[in-house]
Amino acid sequence: MSLAEVLDAIRAEVREEYLSTAQSYPWIVGFSAGKDSTALLQLVIDSVLDLPPDARKRPIHILLNDTLVESPVYMEHVDQVLQRIRTALPALGLPCVVHRAVPETDQTFWVNLIGRGYPSPNRQFRWCTDRMKIAPTNNYIKSVVSESGQAVLLLGVRRDESASRAQSINRYNPGATRLNPHNSLPGCLVFRPLVDLSTDDLWSFLLQSPPPWGGSHRGLVTLYRNLSSGECPLVLDKADAPSCGSSSYRFGCWTCTVVQKDRSMAAQIDAGHEWLEPLMAFRDYLYEIRNNLDYRDEERRNGQQGIGPFTMAARREILDRLIEVQREVGRTLITEPELRRIREIWSEDLAAISKRRFALADIEVETGHGVAK
Ligand code: SF4
């Protein structure tokens, strides 16, 4: 099959599914602005634009996850693309909305790390994926499902992407039907129109076809050329998450300490983004202090003995250094609402610590230890 035939078959399938009256629920396109989801969104919009305007009834939600600590270079590209899409949609006459799913202020990277003192994430305690990726996207999908009764989630996953991706597709798509129930989101069906598209064909398509929202794919190509990189796809459950925080050249959180070295950020610096150097040094610092017991409480947050969260002194030091890096690079790295929430958690924690000390002092007095001192 030629590339043109492959693409025609995908567009025909997308149109057929879009028009299917049996399942006229909203579509949610998982979009990360990387190569796979960009090709998916472009093929979806192209296909729907081929339909007469009065047939374009089914709402399409374009869903992007932003952990608020994404690689800044990648986010610049994402912001540009989203801006173009938002501007172009009304003129294209498409029933689309764009939604950026972010973690709740109480659950951002900084609020957990600096506020609660959660140690910088590693493979054993990767507390971030659930809170910053899975929960925000799942909550949005659940809200669409609860409003409409059901929803169809379109993902740009492809077997050709990697052996583990092929395995995960086969696991969740055993019958290879077009729509499959999502394994953990009731009422959500999954549609993977690009599943058999090869990586070469995907790039040929992107290089030959400008996006319907205007501009070109030049920014995307430059990103991949600089990083020889992969995208961090929309993560909906833990089965999607092995790539999150992996040591391959992937876009992801600039704060990620699950990897020993951030090869992606190093490649961006080599490609001319020297201003990222303070961020890389800060990430390395977060990686180092995680295993330094001087930075960790001797009690867990639940009061049990054991290696606990970062001490209050460590949290203060991390915040001071982050503010310093923020000043140095001249970009917002932590927001005012996060700072407010951190202060609240600190006062709650300090109150709890002094309560425990008083209780301990009472016990010592009762048992006579306090008198001896
Ligand atoms: S990229 Fe790293 S820090 Fe970000 S959610 Fe994944 S594991 Fe956590």
Side-chain angles (χ1 to χ4, degrees), residues 7-23:
L7 295 172
D8 280 349
I10 293 174
R11 288 191 194 97
E13 194 183 39
V14 169
R15 276 196 302 273
E16 195 182 304
E17 198 52 51
Y18 186 83
L19 291 174
S20 125
T21 46
Q23 284 150 334

Side-chain angles (χ1 to χ4, degrees), residues 109 121 126 128-129 132-133 244-245 252-253 255-256 258:
F109 189 82
R126 202 177 56 173
C128 41
T129 314
M132 303 185 335
K133 294 193 167 189
C244 180
C253 306
T255 54
C256 188
V258 175

Side-chain angles (χ1 to χ4, degrees), residues 76-367:
E76 275 173 17
H77 163 71
V78 171
D79 287 339
Q80 278 170 12
V81 174
L82 282 188
Q83 187 52 39
R84 277 192 184 282
I85 293 174
R86 282 203 172 98
T87 311
L89 283 177
L92 292 173
L94 291 172
C96 293
V97 284
V98 179
H99 180 78
R100 193 188 280 249
V102 298
E104 288 173 14
T105 301
D106 186 53
Q107 292 300 339
T108 67
F109 189 82
W110 300 126
V111 167
N112 279 309
L113 186 110
I114 301 176
R116 297 188 175 88
Y118 283 10
S120 330
N122 67 1
R123 290 232 167 273
Q124 287 71 43
F125 187 34
R126 202 177 56 173
W127 47 263
C128 41
T129 314
D130 267 335
R131 292 169 169 83
M132 303 185 335
K133 294 193 167 189
I134 298 175
T137 47
N138 281 6
N139 287 345
Y140 186 73
I141 294 169
K142 282 182 199 160
S143 74
V144 175
V145 169
S146 99
E147 218 169 86
S148 313
Q150 207 154 16
V152 179
L153 177 67
L154 286 84
L155 296 176
V157 292
R158 297 175 305 106
R159 276 184 231 278
D160 203 15
E161 214 181 326
S162 67
S164 66
R165 181 57 74 179
Q167 236 179 28
S168 133
I169 290 168
N170 293 339
R171 192 165 59 241
Y172 292 113
N173 198 13
T177 54
R178 197 182 278 171
L179 298 186
N180 290 279
H182 190 277
N183 63 319
S184 61
L185 291 168
C188 177
L189 298 165
V190 179
F191 179 23
R192 302 171 171 96
L194 309 188
V195 74
D196 292 317
L197 192 68
S198 71
T199 304
D200 286 350
D201 281 354
L202 181 125
W203 274 121
S204 303
F205 164 64
L206 287 173
L207 291 170
Q208 290 166 19
S209 342
W213 49 85
S216 72
H217 292 305
R218 211 173 304 132
L220 183 69
V221 173
T222 308
L223 264 183
Y224 278 83
R225 189 176 294 134
N226 286 347
L227 306 180
S228 44
S229 166
E231 66 191 281
C232 213
L234 198 74
V235 176
L236 298 161
D237 64 34
K238 290 206 167 90
D240 296 324
S243 59
C244 180
S246 73
S247 59
S248 61
Y249 285 95
R250 276 183 183 271
F251 303 114
C253 306
W254 70 266
T255 54
C256 188
T257 49
V258 175
V259 288
Q260 189 178 1
K261 289 269 166 238
D262 186 343
R263 298 199 297 157
S264 164
M265 182 128 60
Q268 291 172 49
I269 292 169
D270 286 347
H273 298 283
E274 285 93 358
W275 68 271
L276 292 173
E277 276 170 7
L279 268 64
M280 188 150 89
F282 186 78
R283 188 219 73 99
D284 292 348
Y285 155 76
L286 290 182
Y287 182 86
E288 294 301 327
I289 59 172
R290 183 189 204 290
N291 296 321
N292 182 341
L293 294 185
D294 293 343
Y295 280 76
R296 305 284 295 271
D297 269 334
E298 289 167 0
E299 198 174 75
R300 302 210 171 107
R301 284 190 67 81
N302 61 10
Q304 285 175 354
Q305 288 300 305
I307 303 173
F310 283 132
T311 60
M312 285 306 297
R315 296 182 222 176
R316 284 204 186 94
E317 180 186 296
I318 299 169
L319 181 59
D320 288 348
R321 289 180 74 145
L322 176 64
I323 300 284
E324 189 51 45
V325 174
Q326 178 166 268
R327 211 171 287 131
E328 201 177 338
V329 298
R331 304 202 176 202
T332 302
L333 302 176
I334 182 166
T335 62
E336 271 307 315
E338 287 177 294
L339 288 168
R340 271 199 298 278
R341 185 66 193 118
I342 287 170
R343 276 185 225 112
E344 283 167 11
I345 295 171
W346 282 3
S347 11
E348 287 158 16
D349 279 9
L350 287 169
I353 290 169
S354 51
K355 207 167 148 192
R356 276 206 298 276
R357 286 209 183 120
F358 275 124
L360 196 62
D362 285 347
I363 292 168
E364 284 174 345
V365 169
E366 274 173 29
T367 56

Side-chain angles (χ1 to χ4, degrees), residues 42-57:
Q42 176 158 348
L43 281 163
V44 166
I45 291 183
D46 281 350
S47 310
V48 178
L49 282 174
D50 284 345
L51 299 170
D54 63 355
R56 303 174 198 162
K57 297 243 167 59

